[in-house]
Amino acid sequence: MTTTHATKLAALLALTALTAAACGSSEPPSLFSTGKVSVGAKNDQPGTGVVHNYKFSGFDITVARQILKSVGAEPDFGIVPSEDRSAVLTDKKKDLVVATFSITVDRMKELDFVGPYASTYQGLMVRKNDNRIRKPSDLAGKRVCTWPGTTSATTLQGPDGNHIAVYEAPDASSCITDLKTKKVADAVSTDQMILYGFTQENPDLKVVPDITFGSANHYGIAMAKGHRSDCLKLRGALRDYVTSNDWSHDFTTSLPSIPAADPTWETDFKPRVETVDSLSCRDTPRT
Amino acid sequence: MTPPSTPRDGGDLHHSPTAHGDHSIAAGTIRNVFIRWAVHPSARWLPLLLACAALVIAGTTWPDGPARQYALWGILAALSLTTAAARVLIRRRRDARVIAALSLVSVLATVGGWLAFRNVVLHGEIDVTGRVASQGTQPLDAATHRTLTLGLDAPALKEPRNALRLTLAIADHDPAGPTCLPDSSATVSLTTSGVAAQQQTVRPGGTADFSLGAQVSTVRINVTLSTARGCRMDIHPTEATLYDR
């Protein structure tokens, strides 16, 4: 082989190696590289995600701020309706969604989650002076309002919800109006954490303590797939957060109605670190 | 390089100047007889026929089970076929030693492959996943409806094996609802008469191993779900394998 041939071959090999290295690094730039992260949040859920005077507040908002602060970034919040939570991520309109978004096996196939940062059962909210509904069997024939984009209606259509007249209103505030003002709904059903939040701004409503439906919802911080290293950084930050006193402090600040009504609120709503490890940054739950 | 000595007109092939004594003479005679047989036109197709016959018989009595246990058989079968085919293609009499070596390797590989195959038939793993009968309605929950029974009956157990490996899938009944997988596990208990009771806990996708001892006619396994309040889960066996420990 001549020297010219050897040089050409070496150059070709170097080019091939560079191309392979470039193709191999498929992960896009870090979501935290600019220091600002666009975060989709709810604006109509007092206690978890609400906007008052153009300012976001609630437990989702506090969690997003605390976790992003740990990785050297800060959130830029924007409103996301429940039914658009997945689409804003897959369409790259938001970097993260922190909006009482339940981790499910189906959603884990499309999105990465960091969580849970809180867990809650689905419950029932009624008018404060309405004592007709105290146990599950009292719901037979009653009109229960839910809204699209959540798993609430599906759960009520399961075995726990036999004989309940479930209907969907356009959004949460429509359900509250139906229950409180129009009185065309006998109850509103969604996650207890959200319901307790509503009672903080609607003192004439109450959560029925002994009625829950289905299994616990695990709320996660959602992101599009393809940002695993960012996801793992957030997981580390969440682990530290839930094992510190900050979690309990922030929870009671945002949702004071829960510790007031539920003496075992930390056991009921605080996630375990093992569950965080099982559900975070994975395509399927680790078992 | 010195070319190897080649036989001429089928004469004495053993001329080693270092060979001494009765044993050396006997070994040389056996080798010469084998080479004479190997280069004989009538033996040209024999190793290939032998390999093909073994392959056909193995194919008709194939016992199934995981593919990895047939690895040794596969290697030896490939070796026997390749060397037998090569022996057929070499016709020159001056390559007598090569022909003899190919024939010998082919025959030995065929015999070795057959022994490996019989070992799989007698002691290999048997996949009985499709024969596991499930009794009990699904989904299971954390309250009153927690148990189902898995069973293997006599036809699935006709080949005697002394152990059973069972892998269970535990899945959310509604994958669109909140997931319960982190909080779910199953206790599997072997309740077969004549076999010591055994109990193990498996996580979703986990595997339990049970010792079956001497030949059993039926196997019964109780599966009890442990999960969080409100969870509804489906459990089914994804792999059931009988094997010898």
Side-chain angles (χ1 to χ4, degrees):
Chain A
M1 188 185 285
T2 64
T3 312
T4 317
H5 280 138
T7 312
K8 280 180 182 170
L9 184 64
L12 189 67
L13 285 172
L15 188 67
T16 309
L18 281 172
T19 311
C23 293
S25 58
S26 59
E27 184 130 325
S30 169
L31 297 173
F32 319 132
S33 56
T34 62
K36 276 275 184 189
V37 178
S38 63
V39 178
K42 298 288 293 178
N43 69 329
D44 57 355
Q45 292 180 183
T48 51
V50 72
V51 177
H52 287 310
N53 300 322
Y54 307 106
K55 284 188 177 175
F56 282 87
S57 63
F59 189 60
D60 291 346
I61 308 303
T62 310
V63 168
R65 286 196 178 114
Q66 293 273 28
I67 301 299
L68 285 174
K69 188 178 162 189
S70 300
V71 295
E74 61 179 55
D76 176 19
F77 290 108
I79 298 164
V80 175
S82 293
E83 62 271 27
D84 293 342
R85 289 177 295 191
S86 292
V88 296
L89 293 170
T90 51
D91 296 346
K92 309 285 181 197
K93 289 177 181 165
K94 297 285 178 201
D95 297 325
L96 304 177
V97 163
V98 191
T100 56
F101 202 15
S102 296
I103 305 172
T104 71
V105 170
D106 280 356
R107 286 174 180 159
M108 284 176 81
K109 292 173 191 162
E110 309 291 327
L111 303 170
D112 271 350
F113 284 90
V114 179
Y117 60 85
S119 298
T120 176
Y121 279 88
Q122 184 175 334
L124 202 72
M125 183 170 67
V126 297
R127 291 181 288 275
K128 198 158 196 172
N129 58 2
D130 185 353
N131 295 316
R132 293 174 300 158
I133 301 169
R134 293 168 186 270
K135 55 186 186 300
S137 58
D138 295 336
L139 280 165
K142 299 290 190 296
R143 281 175 61 79
V144 177
C145 186
T146 64
W147 55 92
T150 70
T151 53
S152 304
T154 313
T155 306
L156 287 177
Q157 281 150 10
D160 293 344
N162 281 338
H163 313 302
I164 303 175
V166 183
Y167 77 98
E168 281 195 343
D171 50 36
S173 48
S174 303
C175 274
I176 302 287
T177 306
D178 282 2
L179 177 66
K180 209 167 82 164
T181 314
K182 294 184 184 172
K183 295 187 170 47
V184 291
D186 296 302
V188 171
S189 181
T190 190
D191 301 341
Q192 281 189 324
M193 240 175 90
I194 299 171
L195 295 177
Y196 275 111
F198 282 129
T199 63
Q200 290 173 186
E201 290 201 350
N202 298 276
D204 48 348
L205 301 177
K206 67 178 179 185
V207 176
V208 183
D210 297 326
I211 297 182
T212 62
F213 302 98
S215 55
N217 284 285
H218 302 296
Y219 293 152
I221 300 167
M223 59 171 58
K225 289 214 180 277
H227 302 278
R228 256 317 140 78
S229 60
D230 287 341
C231 188
L232 292 170
K233 282 180 195 165
L234 292 177
R235 185 185 70 179
L238 180 63
R239 270 198 204 131
D240 294 342
Y241 181 58
V242 298
T243 51
S244 72
N245 291 328
D246 291 342
W247 188 93
S248 298
H249 173 265
D250 293 342
F251 192 85
T252 48
T253 304
S254 296
L255 291 156
S257 56
I258 293 181
D262 181 358
T264 60
W265 63 276
E266 276 195 305
T267 313
D268 294 343
F269 293 90
K270 190 173 184 175
R272 291 181 296 129
V273 174
E274 304 85 69
T275 315
V276 173
D277 290 341
S278 171
L279 298 178
S280 294
C281 314
R282 298 180 186 283
D283 300 330
T284 55
R286 189 194 69 184
T287 55
Chain B
M1 184 185 286
T2 308
S5 59
T6 52
R8 294 175 188 279
D9 60 315
D12 191 357
L13 293 159
H14 183 70
H15 293 298
S16 170
T18 58
H20 298 287
D22 291 345
H23 290 299
S24 301
I25 293 165
T29 306
I30 290 168
R31 191 172 64 174
N32 291 342
V33 167
F34 182 78
I35 291 174
R36 276 202 197 96
W37 170 79
V39 298
H40 195 274
S42 65
R44 188 175 162 211
W45 290 91
L46 205 58
L48 190 60
L49 286 173
L50 196 64
C52 288
L55 210 59
V56 168
I57 294 169
T60 53
T61 58
W62 194 257
D64 285 329
R68 63 185 148 74
Q69 66 186 347
Y70 295 99
L72 179 61
W73 170 82
I75 291 165
L76 292 171
L79 181 65
S80 73
L81 283 173
T82 310
T83 49
R87 189 267 169 265
V88 169
L89 294 173
I90 297 174
R91 292 165 179 243
R92 290 175 300 185
R93 283 186 65 82
R94 65 191 175 85
D95 295 330
R97 291 191 178 197
V98 175
I99 289 170
L102 287 171
S103 299
L104 182 65
V105 170
S106 178
V107 170
L108 289 178
T110 301
V111 172
W114 180 251
L115 292 174
F117 180 75
R118 290 303 303 166
N119 184 57
V120 172
V121 170
L122 295 173
H123 302 289
E125 298 188 345
I126 303 168
D127 182 2
V128 290
T129 310
R131 297 177 178 191
V132 177
S134 178
Q135 289 181 332
T137 52
Q138 308 232 29
L140 302 179
D141 58 36
T144 53
H145 188 202
R146 297 178 59 203
T147 304
L148 79 148
T149 304
L150 303 177
L152 278 171
D153 289 326
L157 299 163
K158 69 177 181 192
E159 300 292 338
R161 296 291 186 273
N162 62 24
L164 171 67
R165 186 167 56 238
L166 182 70
T167 303
L168 289 180
I170 305 174
D172 293 304
H173 180 65
D174 176 16
T179 181
C180 294
L181 285 175
D183 300 312
S184 298
S185 63
T187 303
V188 281
S189 312
L190 184 74
T191 57
T192 299
S193 63
V195 181
Q198 297 158 59
Q199 191 175 78
Q200 293 173 43
T201 300
V202 294
R203 306 281 301 164
T207 299
D209 264 300
F210 295 112
S211 177
L212 300 179
Q215 189 171 6
V216 291
S217 56
T218 58
V219 168
R220 288 285 172 271
I221 294 167
N222 288 333
V223 181
T224 305
L225 175 71
S226 298
T227 190
R229 174 166 60 95
C231 292
R232 295 194 305 145
M233 312 299 289
D234 292 325
I235 298 182
H236 64 271
T238 53
E239 191 183 323
T241 306
L242 294 166
Y243 68 103
D244 273 338
R245 274 185 171 153

